[in-house]
Amino acid sequence: MGGPGGWWRRKSTPAKVETYTRWSFHFIALSEPTVIGVTAFGHLEARAALLVMVPVTAHVALAMVTASRALDWTVGRRAQPLRLLWALGAATALVATAAVVLGRHGPGGPGEDTGTVLGSVFGATLCYGVGLTALGLKDRRRVVLLVAGFGTGAGLVAWAAGMPALAALATAAFVTAASGFFAATSAFSIWLLNTVYVLDEARETRARLAVAEERLRFGRDLHDVMGRNLAVIALKSELAVQLARRERPEAVEQMIEVQRIAQESQREVREVVRGYRRADLEAELHGARGVLRAAGIDCEVSGETDGLPAEVQSALGWVVREATTNVLRHGDAKKCTVTVLRPEGRVVLTVRNDGATAPHGSSSRTGGTGLAGLRERLSAVGGTLDAGEAGDGEFRLVAEVPLTARPALEVAS
């Protein structure tokens, strides 16, 4: 957990994609002064190159702040940064226009070196500025208008500064194509980020639906147990009341029957709550596989469960149920494997998943309240539980239960 890559593994998939997208645009913005700086320091004196880099650096800083705020707006953390978008657009137009004017009519005249440097400032500033401004726009038509507007403006400014009409037209085409490419990249990145968040919400919804389905199944089981018995208790109690009013001795027998049915209902409810009724280990493994796959987690189950004693199946069934809940609620697992091995005289159940996050934030072997409850259940049948990270981003839970003295086949029969 404390390794250099621990902060990355702790992130969810959407958070990883967001971090990747955010830093990709930061590095794209930083490539602007890199391109211009190489050209400036390669063609101009150091002092002149530094003067050129001052407005470029300011433009890049504004672009990075705008990109960060635009991404926050995209994921719903803040309002749309309209002022920053307008400021970045104005700064882009100002720096690009100044570069063209100085390149054509500056103090040094339109020299080859000066023209090369200021031309790179003009082109890079427009392309990067328009591309990063597009991060703050969701409407595709506005993005198209943004690109077309800056492309047309670049051509008009170049022509007004004295550039030949054909060269100005070529400049407009280049700026439109290059800035359009960066704007399309920005739009696609935003679409991808939003899609990842939508898919993650859908995955959580599927997991909640799977849990709700399990609750409905439990509710049906409880209704099956209590519905008929409560109806019988109500009828026999009413009959006992009528017999008692007539001073008939059969009332006592009816109340004895009511008592028996109530005790039987209490036992059956206890079995449902404890998972004993229709809930052997094989059923729990099948249910876990269905729930995890419904949540988008690949689940593989292997091993033999036939012939295990009832108390062993019950204890390990609870382990499977709690482990499945932990995989759904904690970590960011993509794959889960459940293995049942039967060494001599014992049963070993191992649950592994690749989303290593200890339950309820616990990184120790003690675990949370769920694991503590499992240890109590296993200790009742002489079993043990070991849970914790196994390295390489994997969380492992191992439950070991000894077999009873009676042969498993006898118990099953």
Side-chain angles (χ1 to χ4, degrees):
M1 294 290 290
W7 69 276
W8 179 259
R9 289 195 299 269
R10 288 192 295 270
K11 288 179 175 290
S12 64
T13 298
K16 290 178 181 177
V17 175
E18 181 184 344
T19 301
Y20 169 79
T21 303
R22 188 179 299 274
W23 282 102
S24 294
F25 282 108
H26 286 337
F27 283 121
I28 288 174
L30 289 175
S31 64
E32 176 186 344
T34 302
V35 172
I36 297 175
V38 170
T39 306
F41 286 97
H43 292 79
L44 301 178
E45 296 181 356
R47 181 177 299 177
L50 287 174
L51 290 176
V52 171
M53 294 304 297
V54 169
V56 172
T57 303
H59 179 263
V60 170
L62 178 60
M64 293 179 68
V65 173
T66 304
S68 180
R69 298 293 177 86
L71 286 173
D72 288 341
W73 166 67
T74 298
V75 297
R77 296 197 186 102
R78 64 173 70 242
Q80 187 179 15
L82 292 176
R83 292 183 179 180
L84 282 174
L85 292 175
W86 280 107
L88 179 59
T92 300
L94 180 62
V95 173
T97 302
V100 172
V101 173
L102 290 176
R104 302 295 297 180
H105 307 288
E112 182 177 353
D113 290 341
T114 304
T116 301
V117 173
L118 294 178
S120 67
V121 173
F122 175 78
T125 301
L126 282 174
C127 295
Y128 287 110
V130 172
L132 293 175
T133 303
L135 284 173
L137 302 176
K138 286 185 178 180
D139 192 348
R140 295 180 180 178
R141 291 175 295 181
R142 293 185 178 181
V143 174
V144 172
L145 291 175
L146 175 71
V147 173
F150 270 91
T152 303
L156 292 176
V157 169
W159 177 72
M163 187 177 293
L166 188 59
L169 182 61
T171 300
F174 169 77
V175 171
T176 301
S179 60
F181 171 78
F182 281 108
T185 301
S186 299
F188 177 77
S189 299
I190 294 300
W191 172 84
L192 181 62
L193 180 60
N194 289 331
T195 300
V196 171
Y197 271 106
V198 170
L199 291 176
D200 186 68
E201 291 178 1
R203 177 185 172 183
E204 292 181 357
T205 301
R206 290 175 63 183
R208 288 195 296 269
L209 289 175
V211 173
E213 179 67 22
E214 182 65 17
R215 289 176 178 173
L216 287 175
R217 185 189 67 82
F218 177 82
R220 288 193 298 268
D221 287 351
L222 194 60
H223 178 269
D224 292 342
V225 170
M226 296 299 297
R228 179 183 61 84
N229 291 349
L230 288 177
V232 174
I233 289 174
L235 290 174
K236 287 187 173 294
S237 298
E238 184 178 356
L239 178 59
V241 169
Q242 296 297 329
L243 291 174
R245 287 175 177 174
R246 299 174 185 176
E247 298 183 354
R248 299 283 298 273
E250 292 87 349
V252 177
E253 296 179 0
Q254 293 297 326
M255 289 308 299
I256 292 175
E257 182 66 12
V258 167
Q259 183 183 24
R260 185 192 66 79
I261 296 174
Q263 292 173 346
E264 180 67 16
S265 299
Q266 185 181 21
R267 183 188 64 80
E268 290 181 348
V269 170
R270 189 179 298 115
E271 289 178 354
V272 171
V273 173
R274 291 179 178 177
Y276 292 161
R277 182 175 181 262
R278 293 170 47 202
D280 58 2
L281 179 57
E282 184 65 29
E284 291 298 330
L285 290 173
H286 180 75
R289 180 164 46 196
V291 169
L292 291 177
R293 288 181 176 177
I297 302 174
D298 184 22
C299 182
E300 296 181 1
V301 178
S302 61
E304 293 293 333
T305 60
D306 296 337
L308 291 176
E311 60 272 14
V312 173
Q313 292 209 34
S314 175
L316 293 181
W318 274 102
V319 173
V320 173
R321 188 175 299 180
E322 178 67 20
T324 302
T325 302
N326 288 338
V327 172
L328 289 173
R329 292 182 178 177
H330 313 293
D332 187 27
K334 300 295 183 297
K335 183 177 181 180
C336 179
T337 59
V338 183
T339 306
V340 181
L341 300 178
R342 299 174 65 172
E344 184 177 356
R346 55 198 175 96
V347 182
V348 179
L349 172 71
T350 304
V351 182
R352 298 173 181 266
N353 71 85
D354 57 3
T357 301
H360 304 287
S362 174
S363 59
S364 66
R365 297 276 175 176
T366 57
T369 56
L371 295 183
L374 287 182
R375 288 189 173 89
E376 293 178 0
R377 293 180 182 276
L378 291 174
S379 63
V381 292
T384 59
L385 180 72
D386 185 26
E389 294 186 30
D392 297 330
E394 181 181 81
F395 189 84
R396 181 177 62 189
L397 185 147
V398 181
E400 183 174 336
V401 180
L403 294 173
T404 58
R406 290 178 293 171
L409 291 177
E410 293 182 8
V411 176
S413 62

